[in-house]
């Protein structure tokens, strides 16, 4: 029997629109914080990975492109990529880059640095993104954070697309920092809850 | 007759839920967000989950009848 599609099976449309909207107005990047906080809140409150399992629009996008559209070789992911070392290492690296981005945002807020209207791909390549900047009502730091956050989202999408093509469609899920983090939270939560009972 | 059933390597499972989505028998769940759990009574060993698993940690193992 084929499972009936639920409303949350269409969340890939949201993920795709997010990337498109960020091309036209960078301030939409702020919405990406939802993909940060919702999984964490679900993991902390409910102690499960319902976000990954059901609601992750990015995962759906990859399984659509790699699965239905056949853009994936569907090979096994290299063993080292699913090892704890790589997963936790990538999580730490991702975090370090994230805090660097927050620091740059702070500097713009503080007025020591000028707004940089570029999107940094793979933490290295600067892509001019001026077309998406139409000024902000508040501090320029608000826009700087948006550029930084959009860079994070675009970079991770590109990494995910690369491993989607080379390995299985949703191979991004193996080393997705959010997935690793929510799994860690669930592990911690279930250790404490099994101690209680 | 030997029956094959899906078996998860729980130490390497990333709990993404891909297997859960493709399982035609709804035999897979991720109750605690740490690893996938297969209901062996429902599993018919079709192997859909094994080929879907992005971490390739599901295998079909022969079980006692």
């Amino acid at each position: 029997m084929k499972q009936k599609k639920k409303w949350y099976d269409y969340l890939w449309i949201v993920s795709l629109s997010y990337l498109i909207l960020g091309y036209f107005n960078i301030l939409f990047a702020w919405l990406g914080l939802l993909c940060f906080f919702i999984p964490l809140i679900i993991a902390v409150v409910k102690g499960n990975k319902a976000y990954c399992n059901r609601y992750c629009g990015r995962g759906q996008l990859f399984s659509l492109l790699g699965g239905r559209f056949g853009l994936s070789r569907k090979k096994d992911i290299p063993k080292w990529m699913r090892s704890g070392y790589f997963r936790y290492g990538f999580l730490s690296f991702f975090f370090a880059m994230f805090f660097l981005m927050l620091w740059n945002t702070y500097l713009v807020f503080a007025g020591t640095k000028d707004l940089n209207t570029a999107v940094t791909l793979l933490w290295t390549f600067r892509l001019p993104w001026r077309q998406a900047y139409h000024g902000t009502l508040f501090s320029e730091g608000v826009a700087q954070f948006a550029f930084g956050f959009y860079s994070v989202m675009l970079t991770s999408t590109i990494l995910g697309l690369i491993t989607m093509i080379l390995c299985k469609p949703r191979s991004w899920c193996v080393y997705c920092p959010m997935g690793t983090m929510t799994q860690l939270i669930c592990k911690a939560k279930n250790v404490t809850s099994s101690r209680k009972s | 007759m030997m029956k094959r059933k899906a078996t998860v390597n729980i130490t390497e499972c990333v709990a993404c839920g891909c297997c859960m989505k493709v399982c035609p028998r709804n035999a897979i769940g991720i109750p605690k967000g740490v690893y996938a759990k297969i209901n062996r009574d429902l599993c018919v060993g079709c192997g859909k989950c094994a080929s879907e698993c992005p971490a390739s940690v599901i295998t079909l193992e022969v079980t006692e009848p």
Side-chain angles (χ1 to χ4, degrees):
Chain A
M1 74 200 146
K2 184 96 181 120
Q3 278 154 12
K4 215 175 162 266
K5 286 224 164 151
K6 302 256 171 49
W7 64 269
Y8 51 73
D9 288 317
Y10 298 95
L11 286 173
W12 59 271
I13 300 169
V14 177
S15 284
L16 190 63
S17 333
Y18 174 82
L19 293 171
I20 296 168
L21 286 174
Y23 180 82
F24 296 103
N25 192 330
I26 200 65
L27 293 176
F28 281 113
W30 276 85
L31 291 173
L33 279 176
L34 290 173
C35 319
F36 255 60
F37 285 114
I38 295 173
L40 289 178
I41 291 169
I42 294 178
V44 170
V45 176
K46 309 260 290 181
N48 63 35
K49 286 204 7 164
Y51 187 85
C52 297
N53 303 166
R54 289 210 184 112
Y55 311 117
C56 180
R58 169 168 316 191
Q60 289 169 13
L61 195 61
F62 289 145
S63 61
L64 197 72
L65 292 175
R68 177 108 33 108
F69 293 165
L71 296 174
S72 169
R73 294 198 309 160
K74 296 189 181 159
K75 300 271 187 217
D76 289 348
I77 199 163
K79 236 182 147 77
W80 59 268
M81 276 184 88
R82 61 177 201 233
S83 69
Y85 294 111
F86 181 72
R87 292 181 64 211
Y88 295 129
F90 188 71
L91 173 66
S92 321
F93 172 73
F94 212 81
F95 250 90
M97 290 299 137
F98 194 76
F99 282 111
L100 197 69
M101 183 274 278
L102 287 182
W103 174 247
N104 278 325
T105 304
Y106 164 74
L107 289 180
V108 173
F109 263 113
T112 27
K113 230 176 151 185
D114 288 330
L115 174 69
N116 182 5
T117 58
V119 161
T120 316
L121 282 187
L122 302 164
W123 306 282
T124 323
F125 308 106
R126 298 236 148 148
L127 224 65
W129 213 258
R130 248 220 93 83
Q131 86 284 347
Y133 182 62
H134 313 282
T136 59
L137 286 173
F138 314 104
S139 161
E140 283 195 326
V142 173
Q144 189 61 66
F145 177 80
F147 278 111
F149 203 83
Y150 191 74
S151 305
V152 170
M153 296 298 266
L154 206 58
T155 297
S156 49
T157 308
I158 287 171
L159 283 178
L161 282 173
I162 293 170
T163 52
M164 176 198 84
I165 294 166
L166 296 176
C167 310
K168 298 264 177 94
R170 277 185 69 163
S171 40
W172 164 253
C173 300
V174 176
Y175 60 97
C176 168
M178 289 315 295
T180 311
M181 203 148 55
T182 47
Q183 193 185 24
L184 267 180
I185 295 170
C186 291
K187 267 185 192 164
K189 254 197 94 109
N190 290 315
V191 166
T192 46
S193 67
S194 59
R195 260 193 215 134
K196 259 184 239 156
S197 54
Chain B
M1 212 189 92
M2 300 281 240
K3 277 189 180 153
R4 299 207 304 161
K5 306 222 160 175
T7 311
V8 182
N9 173 351
I10 58 169
T11 51
E12 285 192 313
C13 177
V14 296
C16 60
C18 298
C19 50
M20 201 165 88
K21 266 189 189 154
V22 292
C23 181
R25 306 254 305 157
N26 279 326
I28 313 181
I30 306 182
K32 288 183 171 175
V34 183
Y35 55 81
K37 218 174 166 177
I38 289 161
N39 182 339
R40 299 202 141 217
D41 297 330
L42 289 176
C43 179
V44 289
C46 68
K48 276 195 170 177
C49 52
S51 57
E52 190 76 11
C53 178
S56 305
V57 294
I58 304 182
T59 47
L60 294 177
E61 305 287 342
V62 174
T63 51
E64 295 307 310

